[in-house]
């Protein structure tokens, strides 16, 4: 409970400090220290009456300490001067959105934007983030401090125009990282997909009228709804058509479908909404044979016009095969040979369509090629099982 | 980000003396070169872990059929090229970046300070990932 409260308050407290002192990099360090202090004291001493105020006060004190030690070390007069003449407090503005724009700044690579977002906006510790990505804490700390240096070089933290697209992209990557990773191995492994959903909900609260924000949240919910069914007892991957659909999380599906419909009815349909709508089509089918492939194919055709992503073209080929037969899908795949040369997914889909066409020999051949090319252990096991069953 | 293992193996085709027989300043220059690369990887946020291993003379090879007593052979071995000298695990943006690091490792200075040009093996870690659904 305390952990949830701290993660929720983290960006608010950071926003206040950045407004007052303008120094994002140091303010962010100070807020981290305040969060750690709260995580140590609150469980034994109780949550203070005004937790937000407590965190702000503690963070300001930590920032003062930080500047003092810096000053002693390098005699940084300007930093201390800044503390003595704080910027006027702007009251209760929530700067979470501005912080998200900052942490997902297009000048940052995703590799640095992701941990920075998780720490500054998500309130996670460096150790938790490092654990989630299976790298040493020092490595993750280095990525974060490089990201902050980059932001510092670009001037006033809150004066820059925000780029919502890059925020959505970073949240999408965090979700995928969590969704595709194996689970339950690290003792303190943070659930990245849960964290991405939490941040997407936060963004949706701040931007309720943005269709793509709603679309991304819906996509995450509709995908996460299948989580209980997508792996077997041994951690092996269970493909969509073979999943036990009674395990799917109905309330997440309902929420995702409602969000998708509301977003799409407002017009200006974007990529995330289309992906959410496709996922919704799958989620709403009680049995695989109930899937509305015609609708899915139509959505993929629209999506393909918006993106050059060859994976979309690949999925469109699957949908075409389901509507017009495997030969139609295979024809579309031929056009992808160049763009996806050597990619195991192309082999896997080709194998699948040959299997549907009843050509087991060709299917086995392409499943084997896919198994040789995948860098993913669970996928390899799955593909090898397909060769054996062919 | 993707994890790669950068493996340095003994390479007898280079005709290199074992490091214990190098001039001390050459061995030091070699170690410092490697440490400088590792330090850079830590600073760039790409370092996962890495070790230099003790020499083949301390290596042991173990073979077991799971029933009878295991067969243990002591080094050094004539087929030294099968043996690992050390490794670095990095977490990088791309294969190209891993290859760039491997090239630096390969050019580590040997006796007399000339780049050794060792053969470095670059292997992507097979992730225990669940991947996309078909």
């Amino acid at each position: 409970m305390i952990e949830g409260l701290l993660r929720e308050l983290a960006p608010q407290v950071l926003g206040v400090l950045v407004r007052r002192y303008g120094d994002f990099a140091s303010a962010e360090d100070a807020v981290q220290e305040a969060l750690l202090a709260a995580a140590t004291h609150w469980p034994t001493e109780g949550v203070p009456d005004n937790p937000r105020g407590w965190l702000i006060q503690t963070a300001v004190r930590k920032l003062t300490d930080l500047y003092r030690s810096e000053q002693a070390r390098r005699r940084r007069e300007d930093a201390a001067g800044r503390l003595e003449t704080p910027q006027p407090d702007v009251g209760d503005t929530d700067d979470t959105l501005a912080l998200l724009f900052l942490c997902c700044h297009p000048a940052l690579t995703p590799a640095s934007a992701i941990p920075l977002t998780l720490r500054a906006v998500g309130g996670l510790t460096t150790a938790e983030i490092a654990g989630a990505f299976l790298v040493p804490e020092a490595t993750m700390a280095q990525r974060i401090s490089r990201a902050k240096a980059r932001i510092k070089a670009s001037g006033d933290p809150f004066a820059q125009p925000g780029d919502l697209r890059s925020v959505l992209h970073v949240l999408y990557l965090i979700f995928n990282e969590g969704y595709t990773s194996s689970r339950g191995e690290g003792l303190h492994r943070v659930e990245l997909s849960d964290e991405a959903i939490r941040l997407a909900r936060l963004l949706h609260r701040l931007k309720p009228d943005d269709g793509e924000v709603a679309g991304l949240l819906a996509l995450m919910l509709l995908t996460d709804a299948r989580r209980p069914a997508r792996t077997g007892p041994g951690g092996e991957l269970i493909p969509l058509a073979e999943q036990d659909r009674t395990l799917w999380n109905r309330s997440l599906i309902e929420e995702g479908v409602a969000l998708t419909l509301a977003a799409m009815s407002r017009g200006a349909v974007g990529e995330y909404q289309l992906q959410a709508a496709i996922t919704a089509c799958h989620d709403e089918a009680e049995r695989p044979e109930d899937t509305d492939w015609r609708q899915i194919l139509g959505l993929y055709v629209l999506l393909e016009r918006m993106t050059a992503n060859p994976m979309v073209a690949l999925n469109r080929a699957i949908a075409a095969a389901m509507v017009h037969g495997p030969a139609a899908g295979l024809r579309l795949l031929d056009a992808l040979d160049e763009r996806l040369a050597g990619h195991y997914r192309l082999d896997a889909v080709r194998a699948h369509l040959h299997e549907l066409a009843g050509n087991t020999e060709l299917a086995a051949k392409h499943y084997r090629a896919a198994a040789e090319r995948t860098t993913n252990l669970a996928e390899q096991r799955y593909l090898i099982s397909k060769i054996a069953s062919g | 980000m993707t994890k790669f293992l950068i493996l340095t193996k003994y390479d007898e085709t280079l005709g290199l003396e074992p490091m214990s027989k190098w001039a001390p300043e050459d061995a030091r220059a070699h170690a410092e070169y490697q440490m400088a690369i590792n330090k850079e990887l830590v600073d760039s946020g790409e370092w996962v872990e890495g070790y230099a291993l003790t020499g083949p003379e301390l290596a042991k090879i173990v073979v077991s059929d799971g029933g009878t007593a295991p067969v243990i052979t002591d080094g050094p071995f004539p087929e030294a090229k099968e043996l690992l000298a050390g490794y670095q695990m990095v977490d990088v943006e791309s294969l190209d970046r891993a290859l760039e690091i491997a090239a630096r490792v390969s050019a580590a200075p040997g006796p007399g300070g000339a780049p050794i040009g060792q053969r470095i093996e670059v292997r992507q870690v097979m992730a225990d990932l669940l991947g996309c659904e078909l």
Side-chain angles (χ1 to χ4, degrees):
Chain A
M1 204 220 65
I2 286 177
E3 196 178 61
L5 180 63
L6 289 177
R7 286 185 191 169
E8 192 188 313
L9 291 174
Q12 300 177 23
V13 173
L14 178 56
V16 170
L17 260 75
V18 175
R19 285 254 171 231
R20 275 196 207 164
Y21 306 112
D23 180 354
F24 172 73
S26 308
E28 205 274 329
D29 284 333
V31 172
Q32 272 288 318
E33 288 191 34
L35 293 173
L36 287 174
T40 319
H41 294 299
W42 293 6
T44 52
E45 291 158 24
V47 178
D49 294 334
N50 177 1
R52 186 172 176 270
W54 189 99
L55 283 170
I56 292 173
Q57 209 176 15
T58 309
V60 168
R61 205 161 50 234
K62 300 279 183 194
L63 189 62
T64 315
D65 293 348
L66 215 82
Y67 282 153
R68 286 223 179 95
S69 66
E70 240 175 70
Q71 193 192 25
R73 224 173 30 234
R74 302 184 226 159
R75 308 207 61 72
R76 286 255 311 260
E77 307 289 343
D78 60 336
R82 214 181 294 144
L83 262 186
E84 277 147 27
T85 50
Q87 304 297 306
D89 220 330
V90 280
D92 253 359
T93 30
D94 187 347
D95 288 312
T96 305
L97 188 61
L99 286 173
L100 269 173
F101 284 145
L102 193 63
C103 295
C104 303
H105 197 284
L108 299 176
T109 62
S112 42
I114 287 170
L116 186 61
T117 303
L118 288 170
R119 209 174 99 129
V121 188
L124 303 187
T125 64
T126 308
E128 287 171 326
I129 301 164
F133 288 90
L134 304 174
V135 298
E137 192 177 339
T139 297
M140 202 46 94
Q142 205 53 36
R143 284 184 196 167
I144 292 168
S145 78
R146 285 165 74 92
K148 289 208 271 187
R150 184 120 208 195
I151 283 176
K152 199 167 196 166
S154 64
D156 183 358
F158 282 175
Q160 307 176 28
D163 184 342
L164 191 58
R165 272 188 71 87
S166 65
V167 174
L168 293 174
H169 184 58
V170 167
L171 297 187
Y172 178 75
L173 291 176
I174 294 173
F175 178 81
N176 269 343
E177 179 72 26
Y179 194 67
T180 53
S181 301
S182 61
R183 324 171 60 77
E185 277 167 26
L187 267 178
H188 300 291
R189 198 137 184 228
V190 170
E191 288 301 348
L192 286 176
S193 39
D194 290 345
E195 190 55 27
I197 289 174
R198 192 176 72 82
L199 292 173
R201 281 192 192 283
L202 182 68
L203 184 58
H204 178 57
R205 261 205 309 279
L206 298 166
K207 287 240 163 220
D209 297 327
D210 189 287
E212 279 296 82
V213 173
L216 177 62
L217 175 58
L219 174 62
M220 288 179 184
L221 297 174
L222 291 163
T223 308
D224 202 47
R226 301 181 200 148
R227 198 203 291 209
R230 73 193 291 266
T231 46
E236 73 277 16
L237 182 71
I238 302 177
L240 195 51
E242 292 161 32
Q243 289 176 15
D244 175 357
R245 296 180 180 221
T246 61
L247 296 176
W248 289 359
N249 185 326
R250 287 289 140 201
S251 67
L252 286 183
I253 293 174
E254 272 165 35
E255 191 187 352
V257 168
L259 273 167
T260 311
L261 288 176
M264 292 182 86
S265 66
R266 278 198 296 266
V269 170
E271 289 176 38
Y272 291 114
Q273 290 164 74
L274 287 172
Q275 286 193 58
I278 291 163
T279 312
C281 286
H282 286 296
D283 285 9
E284 286 185 310
E286 272 179 40
R287 298 167 305 164
E289 55 269 38
D290 299 333
T291 310
D292 187 350
W293 284 106
R294 229 165 254 287
Q295 173 96 351
I296 291 173
L297 179 57
L299 290 164
Y300 270 122
V301 170
L302 286 178
L303 189 55
E304 211 182 351
R305 281 187 208 145
M306 286 185 200
T307 167
N309 184 348
M311 288 301 160
V312 169
L314 192 67
N315 286 326
R316 185 198 153 188
I318 299 176
M322 299 309 285
V323 176
H324 304 298
L330 285 165
R331 264 197 307 280
L332 285 171
L333 290 187
D334 290 339
L336 281 169
D337 275 335
E338 212 167 292
R339 283 160 78 198
L340 279 172
H343 197 292
Y344 82 95
R345 284 274 290 159
L346 180 60
D347 289 308
V349 170
R350 190 166 266 144
H352 179 61
L353 297 190
H354 280 304
E355 192 184 0
L356 286 181
N359 197 333
T360 49
E361 212 167 295
L362 271 175
K365 178 185 147 203
H366 289 289
Y367 276 129
R368 200 169 294 120
E372 280 164 12
R373 281 173 178 152
T374 179
T375 58
N376 177 320
L377 198 56
E379 203 109 39
Q380 189 174 66
R381 279 194 220 114
Y382 169 74
L383 291 165
I384 288 169
S385 76
K386 295 295 282 184
I387 302 165
S389 68
Chain B
M1 301 292 270
T2 312
K3 293 192 178 73
F4 288 91
L5 198 55
I6 293 173
L7 298 158
T8 305
K9 287 184 170 178
Y10 287 98
D11 187 350
E12 68 217 8
T13 62
L14 292 170
L16 221 56
E17 294 253 47
M19 211 194 257
S20 52
K21 293 187 181 155
W22 292 12
E25 61 272 24
D26 288 343
R28 195 167 52 238
H30 180 89
E32 277 167 4
Y33 180 95
Q34 300 282 20
M35 279 182 329
I37 295 177
N38 295 349
K39 168 87 172 53
E40 266 181 58
L41 293 171
V42 171
D43 291 345
S44 63
E46 296 173 309
W47 175 260
V48 181
E49 64 169 33
Y51 288 101
L53 304 177
T54 52
E57 57 283 0
L58 292 177
K60 294 186 188 305
I61 292 197
V62 181
V63 176
S64 167
D65 61 8
T68 51
V71 181
I72 298 167
T73 326
D74 288 314
F77 304 95
E79 287 291 295
K81 70 173 187 303
E82 298 296 326
L83 290 175
L84 206 56
Y87 73 90
Q88 283 126 320
M89 170 92 80
V90 295
D91 189 26
V92 292
E93 208 56 74
S94 63
L95 171 64
D96 283 347
R97 173 66 185 140
L99 297 177
E100 190 182 302
I101 297 165
R104 300 258 318 269
V105 176
S106 172
I116 303 176
Q118 299 183 99
R119 291 163 63 95
I120 307 296
E121 192 174 318
V122 177
R123 307 288 299 272
Q124 183 177 338
V125 171
M126 181 167 273
D128 191 10
L129 298 178
L130 299 173
C132 336
E133 283 144 299
L134 281 170

